[in-house]
Structure formats: C-alpha cells, structure tokens
C-alpha cells in the first residue's frame, strides 16, 4: 500500500487552494460556535472586546490591515457603520504610522491579520498604543504577535491555511466583523434583541448556501476556460460589494498572473471605461438591491463598447440576461451578508482560470503567506 501524505492533506482535491475553498462552510460554523446559538438574539464572545470605559468610550474605530485583510476591513466598515452607527476609517497598515494619524483614547483600533505576524500591522499597532488607543486583534492565529500586542482578541477559527492565497480566512474575517457589529450595537443600546435575532438568522444559512454555490462549479469552470486567455480583467461592484470587486481582482492577479483591476461601478466612467473593448472581460457583482438599476446602467455602457460581461448576481433578471454574456447565480441573503456569497464564485473563477493557464496555484511566484518585514 502506497500512502501519499501530501495528497491526503489536500482532501482529495488537486490543490490546497481548492480544498480550502471547500472548507469554508465548516470554517463558518466553527467561527460561530459558542458565540451564537440557533434562535439567539445576542452574540457572546469568550473575552471582553470593548474598552474598559464601555461602549460609550468609543468615539470612532480605525481598522488596519494589509492585502486581503485590508479588503475585508472595507466590508467591516460598512457593517459596523450600518449596524452600530459608529464612524469607521480603514487604513493600510503600511501607511498608518507615517501620516501622523489623529488617534487618542477614544479611538478603538481593530488590527486584522490572518497570520498575526504581519510586520506593517504590528508597527501600526505600536503607533496606536503610543497614542492611547484600545487595540482589538482579529486573527486566525492564537498567541501570534498581533494577538499578544492587543488588549483584546477575536479569533477566526478556520484552521490552517496552506495555500498562499487566502480564502477561508477571508470569509471568516467577514463573519467576525458581522458578529462584532451586532454585539457592539446591542451593547450600545442601538439594536433591540428582536432586530439582532433577525440579523443572526441568515448567518446560520450561509454554510448551506456556500454548498449550493459549489453545485454550480461546472458553469464557473466553463466560463474560466472561455476567458483564461484574456490579458486583462475589470471587476466592478457598488456599496458593500465594491470591496468584493477588489478581492476578485486580487485573487485573479495573485494566482493566474492576469492583470486585473477592481473598481467601484460608479467610477467606471471616470477613467476605466477607456480600457473596455471586445477583448476585456468585465466581472460585475450585481445583487438585486437598491443599487441594481445604477449598476445596470454601468453594464449597458460596457455592452455598448462590446465588453464581455460576467455577472455575479442573486437574481438573474431578464434585463440582466439581455446584456451579460455569462451569469453566475448565488443564493439570496440579507444585504450585509451578500458579500460573503459573492466572494465564493470569484474564488472559484480565479482558481479555474489559474488551472487553465497552468500556474502554481498554491505557491504563486514572488508571494509569501505572511509578510514579516516592512
């Protein structure tokens, strides 16, 4: 009997990356476990995350991250501002301490790092501490440098991630922000128990909905084969889904080496529209929400310039089908959790394009899992 230990750790998948995409339903369940129960109207964390002065002592929140963690923080900003009504700023860790940020004792800093060892984020935390800020770490690694430097820790529980490109850690960071926003809003008296329950119920459906997206993978694989020869991609999103356009572009760049840009759909006509022609695939994240018609207007501009539209949506209307060359559908959820479900097809699309192009999916050139130098 011959035993391939490496193949065993991939769970039968060809690459660690594809296995880790498949791990996401369980990672989501594990990150909720013990914090929220079925029928819950509140979120409980293992330790106190709020400053000693209580919620009233938080004047604003500054979120710090690098790479994909910076992108998840952009989604977290939407969640916290919308649910808890506290102003949130997001900054690159590498830029934060060089611009003399106005930080004081009423500032709560949320430092986000999958590995907990990102050098730029550690340096930014030290700057925040020197100015009297309360430090909360969101990380997947217990007792990491960032966790030790923080006053409080919120751990994601997605387990080891071997592929350089993050997938399940990205998704569970979004989950951590969502749970924290509900917890904070309730502590501040800005969210009634009944309303908290309404926000939590859709979160329990997410694992099954991700599994449903996996069932549509053959369609995504077919789209990947068709567009793998492209030299450039444009990703568009609006509102809370704009950061997901950034993530889709980042994933594609990292593992397929195709040039890709993520843009707010409303900004397309302020420059990127000059790039669009029949050779340019345009991936648009377009949920059926209050920004749908605005996004449709953008798509019609792309269509009129012969751009090839790949639409990721939770409701493929006749109007959308009339302009999009390809449709990828995801299940319905609430507005705050839509980015979670929109992310998964973009992970699969990037993965299958990279496989088609024959690149090293798990160990892309020039990249490291954790950037431990400034």
């Amino acid at each position: 009997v011959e035993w391939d230990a490496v193949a065993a750790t991939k769970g039968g998948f060809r690459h660690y990356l594809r296995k880790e995409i498949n791990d996401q339903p369980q990672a989501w369940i594990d990150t909720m476990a013990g914090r929220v129960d079925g029928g819950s109207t509140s979120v409980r964390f293992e330790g106190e995350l709020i400053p000693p002065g209580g919620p009233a002592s938080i004047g604003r929140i500054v979120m710090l991250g690098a790479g994909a963690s910076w992108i998840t923080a952009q989604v977290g900003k939407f969640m916290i501002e919308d649910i808890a009504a506290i102003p949130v700023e997001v900054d690159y860790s590498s830029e934060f301490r060089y611009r003399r940020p106005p930080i004081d004792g009423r500032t709560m800093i949320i430092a986000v790092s999958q590995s907990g060892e990102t050098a730029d984020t550690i340096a930014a935390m030290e700057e925040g501490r020197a100015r009297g800020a309360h430090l909360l770490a969101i990380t997947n690694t217990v007792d990491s440098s960032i966790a030790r430097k923080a006053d409080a820790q919120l751990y994601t529980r997605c387990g080891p991630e071997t592929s350089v490109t993050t997938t399940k850690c990205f998704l569970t960071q979004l989950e951590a922000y969502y749970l924290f926003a509900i917890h904070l809003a309730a502590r501040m008296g800005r969210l009634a128990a009944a309303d908290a329950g309404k926000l939590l119920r859709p979160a329990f459906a997410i694992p099954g909905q991700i599994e449903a997206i996996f069932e549509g993978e053959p369609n995504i694989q077919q789209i990947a084969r068709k567009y793998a020869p492209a030299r450039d991609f444009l990703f568009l999103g609006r509102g809370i889904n704009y950061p997901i356009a950034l993530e889709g572009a980042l994933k594609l760049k990292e593992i397929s080496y195709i040039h890709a840009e993520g843009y707010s759909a409303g900004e397309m006509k302020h420059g990127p529209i000059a790039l669009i022609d029949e050779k340019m695939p345009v991936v648009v994240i377009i949920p059926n929400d209050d920004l749908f018609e605005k996004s449709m207007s953008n798509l019609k501009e792309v269509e009129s310039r012969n751009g090839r539209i790949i639409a990721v949506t939770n409701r493929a209307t006749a109007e959308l089908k009339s302009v999009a060359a390809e449709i990828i559908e995801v299940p319905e959820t609430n507005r705050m959790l839509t980015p979670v479900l929109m992310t998964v097809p973009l992970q699969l699309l990037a993965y299958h394009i990279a496989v088609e192009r024959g690149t090293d999916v798990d160990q892309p050139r020039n990249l490291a899992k954790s950037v431990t130098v400034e």
Side-chain angles (χ1 to χ4, degrees):
V1 176
E2 293 184 3
W3 179 254
D4 187 335
V6 173
T9 60
K10 293 178 183 176
F13 292 98
R14 182 176 171 185
H15 300 98
Y16 285 109
L17 178 59
R18 182 61 190 85
K19 174 192 177 292
E20 287 157 6
I21 292 172
N22 209 64
D23 288 344
Q24 290 176 128
Q26 187 60 52
W28 186 274
I29 292 167
D30 292 343
T31 296
M32 288 185 73
R35 294 165 174 172
V36 184
D37 301 319
S40 287
T41 58
S42 64
V43 180
R44 303 177 304 276
F45 292 107
E46 306 80 75
E48 179 59 83
L49 306 184
I50 307 298
S57 68
I58 304 173
R60 68 172 179 145
I61 293 173
V62 175
M63 304 178 77
L64 303 174
S69 292
W70 179 86
I71 294 173
T72 66
Q74 296 285 349
V75 180
K77 169 184 168 69
F78 276 94
M79 291 176 173
I80 294 170
E81 288 188 338
D82 190 279
I83 297 172
I86 291 180
V88 179
E89 177 184 340
V90 180
D91 211 337
Y92 287 109
S93 301
S94 57
E95 298 290 341
F96 177 73
R97 69 190 181 117
Y98 297 109
R99 63 176 185 83
R100 297 183 181 178
I103 302 300
D104 57 25
R106 287 182 53 77
T107 302
M108 181 175 186
I109 287 179
I110 301 179
V112 192
S113 168
Q114 173 224 319
S115 68
E117 301 297 340
T118 308
D120 290 323
T121 304
I122 293 170
M125 291 175 73
E126 291 170 347
E127 180 72 16
R129 181 176 295 285
R131 294 170 181 261
H134 177 77
L135 305 180
L136 168 63
I138 295 182
T139 180
N140 190 51
T141 311
V142 176
D143 202 34
S144 57
S145 297
I146 283 171
R148 291 196 304 271
K149 284 185 178 294
D151 300 302
Q153 301 78 27
L154 198 174
Y155 290 109
T156 57
R157 301 166 179 160
C158 62
E161 197 173 60
T162 303
S163 177
V164 168
T165 298
T166 182
T167 51
K168 57 183 178 175
C169 282
F170 184 96
L171 230 63
T172 52
Q173 283 180 11
L174 300 184
E175 181 180 12
Y177 303 135
Y178 189 67
L179 296 179
F180 176 71
I182 293 170
H183 174 79
L184 180 59
R187 292 279 299 273
M188 298 184 77
R190 295 176 179 174
L191 187 67
D195 293 325
K198 288 178 183 177
L199 288 171
L200 290 169
R201 278 193 291 276
F204 285 96
I206 291 293
Q209 291 176 318
I210 295 174
E211 296 282 1
I213 293 171
F214 293 158
E215 292 175 10
E217 187 170 1
N219 174 48
I220 297 172
Q221 192 169 5
Q222 187 176 8
I223 294 169
R225 289 195 191 102
K226 186 174 179 180
Y227 295 99
R231 295 182 61 184
D232 304 277
F233 268 74
L234 183 63
F235 287 75
L236 301 176
R238 292 192 82 120
I240 195 171
N241 290 293
Y242 158 56
I244 305 308
L246 299 178
E247 170 63 3
L250 179 60
K251 282 285 175 291
L252 192 64
K253 281 184 282 195
E254 285 180 324
I255 63 175
S256 76
Y257 314 147
I258 294 175
H259 169 252
E261 291 190 58
Y263 260 89
S264 169
E267 288 293 297
M268 184 188 70
K269 54 186 169 289
H270 295 282
I273 197 168
L275 299 172
I276 295 172
D277 59 20
E278 68 280 357
K279 297 179 182 178
M280 168 76 83
V282 179
V283 181
V284 60
I285 298 101
I286 182 167
N288 201 289
D289 58 14
D290 56 351
L291 292 171
F292 180 82
E293 291 303 326
K294 295 283 189 185
S295 296
M296 278 302 306
S297 176
N298 298 133
L299 289 195
K300 288 173 181 176
E301 292 181 357
V302 173
E303 183 199 27
S304 69
R305 289 158 178 82
N306 299 316
R308 295 177 290 175
I309 298 168
I310 303 169
V312 185
T313 184
N314 53 16
R315 194 180 306 167
T317 65
E319 184 183 19
L320 181 57
K321 289 178 181 178
S322 71
V323 298
E326 320 290 345
I327 300 279
I328 301 172
E329 288 196 74
V330 304
E332 295 268 5
T333 187
N334 70 15
R335 184 171 66 90
M336 292 288 123
L337 290 174
T338 297
V340 173
L341 298 182
M342 293 293 181
T343 298
V344 179
L346 301 186
Q347 294 171 343
L348 291 170
L349 182 65
Y351 169 75
H352 284 295
I353 288 176
V355 170
E356 287 293 319
R357 292 171 67 91
T359 59
D360 189 338
V361 173
D362 286 327
Q363 297 289 328
R365 65 191 184 201
N366 304 330
L367 296 179
K369 186 64 177 169
S370 179
V371 181
T372 56
V373 294
E374 286 194 74

